[in-house]
Amino acid sequence: MQMSYAIRCAFYQLLLAALMLVAMLQLLYLSLLSGLHGQEEQDQYFEFFPPSPRSVDQVKTQLRTALASGGVLDASGDYRVYRGLLKTTMEPSDVILATHASVDNLLHLSGLLERWEGPLSVSVFAATKEEAQLATVLAYALSSHCPDMRARVAMHLVCPSRYEAAVPDPREPGEFALLRSCQEVFDKLARVAQPGINYALGTNVSYPNNLLRNLAREGANYALVIDVDMVPSEGLWRGLREMLDQSNQWGGTALVVPAFEIRRARRMPMNKNELVQLYQVGEVRPFYYGLCTPCQAPTNYSRWVNLPEESLLRPAYVVPWQDPWEPFYVAGGKVPTFDERFRQYGFNRISQACELHVAGFDFEVLNEGFLVHKGFKEALKFHPQKEAENQHNKILYRQFKQELKAKYPNSPRRC
């Protein structure tokens, strides 16, 4: 009898242990299922509500730190460089939009931020002490009121070496202290600025365009270097990311983004269909059409506008480089820097495209993406000093091509 009772007790204990084990396994399963579901919900949440950018205080601390460093002199000793007034983060495969501007032309940043969804880097040139102060105040105001600036924009400052930029005094930022929104900052800038051509500053200081370009694309793997008064087609960043993520075959390739210019009174086209319609009636034309037709002609605009419409961005055709083609392009890897001896106007981009060709890069034109410059480019009359610099650059370019022979002795390519 006692044996039978002991057996029943052991049986019930075993049954209870089995039930507890089943219950624990069910709880573990539900916990894992809940975790997976929660992760899916979190992924969906962050798809529509990305994590908050760095705080205003963090960005202002970065600005103060960069300015307090006193900057560093460039290789020539003529310019003082302040890196990282504002900073951004990006993935190794990301594409950064790199541009440069005088202080007055910073108002174009608003349009670039609307069209370009990825990281953006801008190098600002302040030709005078007053402009350097305005640039720091602007960086302070933009970082305070513009979440996109805090999240996606890197900003660097360059000024003549005899000047030093100062940390803005919060008690004395002028009328910018009264502003309360990002739009108000850009509206105020539009009222006080005198936008024009970067290299027509009206001062005795040369605009260091290639120094600014190098600074803006510094640290980026893939970069699209453009002028600040150009606007990319809608979705260009996303299309480039998808194309680059799908394949690693683009090393040694310059992906050319066709560039156009539009009458100032027209609305900027968003997609290729809108652009082609304006192109056909003469409201849009190839970039530099009135200044230097050969500088963009190899892009083959007639072929490009007649390509069949496609949903995915991809290279459409290969174009052999020829002097003086200076395309706008996306490239990664060991991309030659812009030669900083070229300043002001003339041969500054052609020289870099020439070296890209000699270094072995091939040029492939993209099928859908494009850039549009605000306004038709027209011939300008420069101050005699500026014209002299243009002639200097012409002579320097001939010298530069000879230097490439020594730099790339095994390359069969020449400019």
Side-chain angles (χ1 to χ4, degrees):
M1 184 73 176
Q2 291 180 347
M3 181 66 68
S4 175
Y5 178 77
I7 291 173
R8 285 200 302 272
C9 285
F11 172 76
Y12 286 128
Q13 288 176 346
L14 183 62
L15 180 62
L16 182 61
L19 289 172
M20 290 180 65
L21 179 61
V22 170
M24 290 176 64
L25 289 172
Q26 285 181 327
L27 287 172
L28 179 62
Y29 170 76
L30 290 173
S31 176
L32 290 172
L33 189 63
S34 175
L36 289 172
H37 179 65
Q39 183 62 47
E40 288 177 357
E41 286 189 334
Q42 186 181 44
D43 291 343
Q44 291 177 353
Y45 177 86
F46 283 129
E47 181 178 353
F48 294 99
F49 302 97
S52 299
R54 291 170 297 161
S55 70
V56 173
D57 289 340
Q58 286 176 316
V59 175
K60 288 181 177 178
T61 298
Q62 170 61 36
L63 173 62
R64 294 190 188 98
T65 301
L67 291 172
S69 71
V72 296
L73 297 183
D74 77 319
S76 71
D78 294 336
Y79 301 98
R80 189 177 301 276
V81 177
Y82 293 88
R83 286 179 169 84
L85 268 63
L86 302 179
K87 286 187 175 182
T88 187
T89 57
M90 55 185 171
E91 300 174 12
S93 61
D94 214 335
V95 183
I96 194 166
L97 187 70
T99 190
H100 56 97
S102 59
V103 177
D104 286 336
N105 280 323
L106 278 176
L107 57 88
H108 292 293
L109 279 183
S110 177
L112 288 178
L113 284 168
E114 289 179 6
R115 282 288 181 93
W116 186 262
E117 302 167 288
L120 189 154
S121 177
V122 57
S123 297
V124 183
F125 180 63
T128 65
K129 187 175 182 179
E130 292 73 23
E131 285 187 0
Q133 179 65 16
L134 177 58
T136 61
V137 170
L138 276 172
Y140 194 88
L142 290 168
S143 64
S144 297
H145 300 300
C146 303
D148 266 352
M149 290 289 294
R150 294 196 296 273
R152 296 198 283 127
V153 176
M155 182 181 288
H156 316 282
L157 177 64
V158 175
C159 58
S161 57
R162 61 182 178 274
Y163 302 136
E164 287 193 22
V167 177
D169 186 338
R171 298 166 300 177
E172 275 298 331
E175 296 179 41
F176 283 90
L178 305 176
L179 306 179
R180 292 294 178 265
S181 72
C182 187
Q183 188 59 52
E184 286 185 7
V185 177
F186 279 110
D187 288 344
K188 176 63 179 176
L189 177 58
R191 290 194 296 271
V192 302
Q194 297 179 338
I197 299 170
N198 283 324
Y199 47 78
L201 295 174
T203 70
N204 291 326
V205 179
S206 297
Y207 186 81
N209 34 35
N210 278 358
L211 168 62
L212 296 168
R213 289 185 177 110
N214 287 336
L215 190 59
R217 76 178 311 278
E218 198 172 79
N221 186 11
Y222 291 98
L224 172 58
V225 182
I226 69 169
D227 296 339
V228 74
D229 51 359
M230 304 182 93
V231 176
S233 54
E234 188 177 45
L236 180 57
W237 172 78
R238 191 175 298 275
L240 287 166
R241 277 297 307 268
E242 291 174 355
M243 186 180 72
L244 294 170
D245 286 345
Q246 290 173 1
S247 174
N248 57 2
Q249 71 183 48
W250 307 116
T253 302
L255 300 165
V256 176
V257 183
F260 296 82
E261 53 190 38
I262 189 172
R263 292 187 193 276
R264 285 194 178 275
R266 304 295 304 196
R267 183 180 68 86
M268 301 298 281
M270 300 180 70
N271 53 52
K272 186 174 179 179
N273 184 50
E274 292 181 3
L275 178 88
V276 171
Q277 290 180 18
L278 294 171
Y279 181 85
Q280 290 172 339
V281 296
E283 293 299 303
V284 163
R285 67 186 189 184
F287 186 62
Y288 259 39
Y289 184 80
L291 281 181
C292 180
T293 303
C295 292
Q296 297 296 322
T299 303
N300 199 340
Y301 289 92
S302 60
R303 179 177 181 180
W304 187 84
V305 298
N306 287 298
L307 290 172
E309 185 176 351
E310 297 183 69
S311 58
L312 295 178
L313 189 68
R314 66 170 183 84
Y317 52 92
V318 178
V319 176
W321 187 83
Q322 54 184 288
D323 202 0
W325 192 26
E326 49 177 24
F328 296 90
Y329 64 87
V330 175
K334 296 181 179 179
V335 178
T337 58
F338 292 85
D339 191 307
E340 296 176 7
R341 293 175 297 175
F342 291 92
R343 302 175 185 175
Q344 205 61 27
Y345 176 75
F347 303 94
N348 47 79
R349 286 198 308 111
I350 296 174
S351 55
Q352 199 262 356
C354 165
E355 181 169 359
L356 201 67
H357 163 70
V358 174
F361 280 75
D362 295 319
F363 294 82
E364 300 190 28
V365 181
L366 294 172
N367 61 338
E368 292 291 323
F370 58 85
L371 299 167
V372 181
H373 177 269
K374 300 174 183 178
F376 283 170
K377 286 274 196 177
E378 305 291 353
L380 297 170
K381 291 184 178 180
F382 296 115
H383 185 278
Q385 179 187 351
K386 311 296 184 184
E387 186 60 37
E389 286 184 315
N390 186 33
Q391 292 302 313
H392 168 75
N393 284 352
K394 187 175 183 179
I395 297 170
L396 178 58
Y397 182 49
R398 288 199 291 264
Q399 174 187 330
F400 176 82
K401 289 193 285 187
Q402 294 301 315
E403 292 170 353
L404 290 182
K405 295 179 180 179
K407 188 174 181 179
Y408 301 93
N410 298 322
S411 174
R413 299 179 174 185
R414 292 290 178 261
C415 294

